[in-house]
Amino acid sequence: MRRIAGIVLAVLLIGGVVAAVVAGRDGQDKSTATKTVQGVIGSEKAEFFADPDVVKALAAKGYTVKTETSGSWAMEGLNLKGYDFAFPSSKAPADELAAKYHVRQPLPRPFYSPLVVVAHRSAAEVLETNGLASAGKGTGTLKMAEYLKAAEHDRTWQQLKGADRHGELSGTLYIASTDPRSSNSGALYLAAASYVADGGRVAADSAAIDRTAPLMRKLISVQGAQQTSTDAAFRDFVSGAGNPLVLVYESQVASLLTQGRRVDDLTVLYPDTTANSDHTVVPLTPQGRALGELLSTDPVLRKLAVRHGFRPQGATAEFTAATAGHTTYLNQTLTGVRQAPVPASKVLHEMARRAGNQ
């Protein structure tokens, strides 16, 4: 009987140990479990979400984020069923998506970035000599009204004083942008340009579109084939290829600088009238909205957004501190830069369609 009791006791002890191990594993699984959320994002945020530190910070809050990239305006044509969020690069396409999927406002806007024009130093110097820009060693201001006047009259680099000393400056003077029919930066370029061209009035109807349509078409048609992403255009510029003037996001420049990359032949021109790219989350599920709010409020994630060149909403100190060593190239306070109002989505869509129809 004692032997039988001993065997029974041993079995019970072993069973208890196994149960404790299983319970411990269950408890561990619960403490480290993450919610997987799926989203479509603008390509300029791909490096942010791929950053191991961002992945770690999100996991610490219980999230695994899987993303696919798309042009911001192209997202409207996608079937987003099964996705938790869309994350275009500005409010206009975000509002379109919110209306389409009946998403309640307000939409989370974690960070933003102004549009800038990156120029090789030789190009910036020639623009300054001819009154189209004011430029220092690494940063300056593009005079939009003067630039648009030059574009309207089909000015070439060869017609600009001093350009003959730089063999790479030839052909028609233009800023290379992305396709405004599918890309946010290209559409915002038209928003700012049309605002200046129409005497400081934001386009609100077909009559306003008509007034600036010939110039907007000229700004686009002179470029020929356009990139669909600022990522590709910026990489080409940094490698020394492509056009001497390229429209990109400030965040791309700031990210490059904070990573310690050399940018010797670079001048960042802030248009005196530009448009901010308000990166806006369109939550398609409760998990998507929670993620958007987390990106907006979590101190670690805000700091990581600054590392990737974005300006967090609602504060300037984070961006100013992180870029303090790069004021040669960055206008931290956006001094002398006017923000152009962005037309309603329907108007901007039509403006981009008219401009892109060759």
Side-chain angles (χ1 to χ4, degrees):
M1 288 296 293
R2 284 196 298 270
R3 185 180 298 116
I4 293 172
I7 292 170
V8 170
L9 180 60
V11 170
L12 290 173
L13 286 172
I14 292 170
V17 170
V18 171
V21 170
V22 170
R25 285 178 179 170
D26 286 346
Q28 185 180 29
D29 287 345
K30 288 177 182 177
S31 66
T32 60
T34 60
K35 298 179 282 292
T36 298
V37 292
Q38 185 89 19
V40 179
I41 63 172
S43 60
E44 68 290 327
K45 292 183 286 289
E47 287 189 6
F48 171 76
F49 281 104
D51 185 335
D53 289 336
V54 173
V55 173
K56 182 180 178 181
L58 288 169
K61 295 295 183 179
Y63 290 92
T64 296
V65 180
K66 295 183 177 180
T67 61
E68 301 169 20
T69 60
S70 167
S72 293
W73 286 103
M75 290 181 190
E76 188 181 350
L78 301 178
N79 180 3
L80 297 180
K81 184 178 180 181
Y83 289 85
D84 295 289
F85 70 97
F87 201 173
S89 302
S90 72
K91 190 174 182 297
D95 285 341
E96 286 283 306
L97 289 169
K100 179 178 180 180
Y101 290 96
H102 308 291
V103 177
R104 68 177 173 85
Q105 298 279 356
L107 306 177
R109 290 187 295 149
F111 39 74
Y112 70 99
S113 183
L115 287 172
V116 298
V117 175
V118 289
H120 295 299
R121 187 162 299 160
S122 57
E125 289 173 353
V126 171
L127 292 179
E128 181 173 41
T129 299
N130 290 269
L132 301 176
S134 60
K137 181 181 177 183
T139 189
T141 302
L142 177 71
K143 300 177 181 179
M144 279 291 284
E146 296 304 316
Y147 165 71
L148 292 177
K149 191 181 301 181
E152 187 173 19
H153 291 91
D154 302 312
R155 297 285 295 277
T156 65
W157 283 105
Q158 290 92 327
Q159 292 172 328
L160 299 182
K161 184 180 178 180
D164 57 341
R165 296 195 298 269
H166 307 283
E168 72 277 12
L169 300 179
S170 63
T172 305
L173 170 69
Y174 69 89
I175 295 170
S177 69
T178 54
D179 188 336
R181 293 167 295 186
S182 61
S183 171
N184 176 68
S185 60
L188 291 182
Y189 176 42
L190 294 185
S194 65
Y195 179 77
V196 174
D198 205 20
R201 289 179 290 184
V202 59
D205 51 31
S206 57
I209 296 174
D210 290 341
R211 286 195 296 271
T212 62
L215 177 56
M216 299 303 103
R217 190 176 302 113
K218 186 170 286 191
L219 294 177
I220 301 304
S221 63
V222 71
Q223 300 184 44
Q226 291 178 285
Q227 299 273 18
T228 57
S229 161
T230 55
D231 275 357
F234 188 56
R235 284 196 301 269
D236 287 347
F237 177 86
V238 171
S239 69
N243 199 58
L245 302 174
V246 182
L247 186 81
V248 299
Y249 296 111
E250 179 198 54
S251 59
Q252 293 169 288
V253 180
S255 177
L256 193 76
L257 294 169
T258 56
Q259 292 172 26
R261 295 276 300 277
R262 290 181 63 86
V263 287
D264 295 334
D265 184 27
L266 170 68
T267 299
V268 183
L269 297 175
Y270 287 76
D272 56 15
T273 302
T274 190
N276 281 347
S277 178
D278 288 306
H279 296 268
T280 305
V281 177
V282 183
L284 303 172
T285 66
Q287 291 87 351
R289 183 170 289 276
L291 175 66
E293 298 294 347
L294 184 66
L295 291 171
S296 302
T297 59
D298 183 74
V300 175
L301 288 167
R302 286 172 65 91
K303 185 176 180 179
L304 290 169
V306 172
R307 178 199 288 179
H308 287 270
F310 300 110
R311 295 174 180 251
Q313 294 282 3
T316 60
E318 293 156 305
F319 183 83
T320 301
T323 59
H326 307 294
T327 54
T328 299
Y329 299 98
L330 300 176
N331 182 348
Q332 290 182 309
T333 59
L334 299 179
T335 302
V337 177
R338 183 181 186 184
Q339 172 68 21
V342 178
S345 298
K346 183 178 180 181
V347 174
L348 193 54
H349 259 309
E350 179 61 16
M351 187 183 294
R353 187 192 68 78
R354 295 269 299 273
N357 285 344
Q358 312 294 310

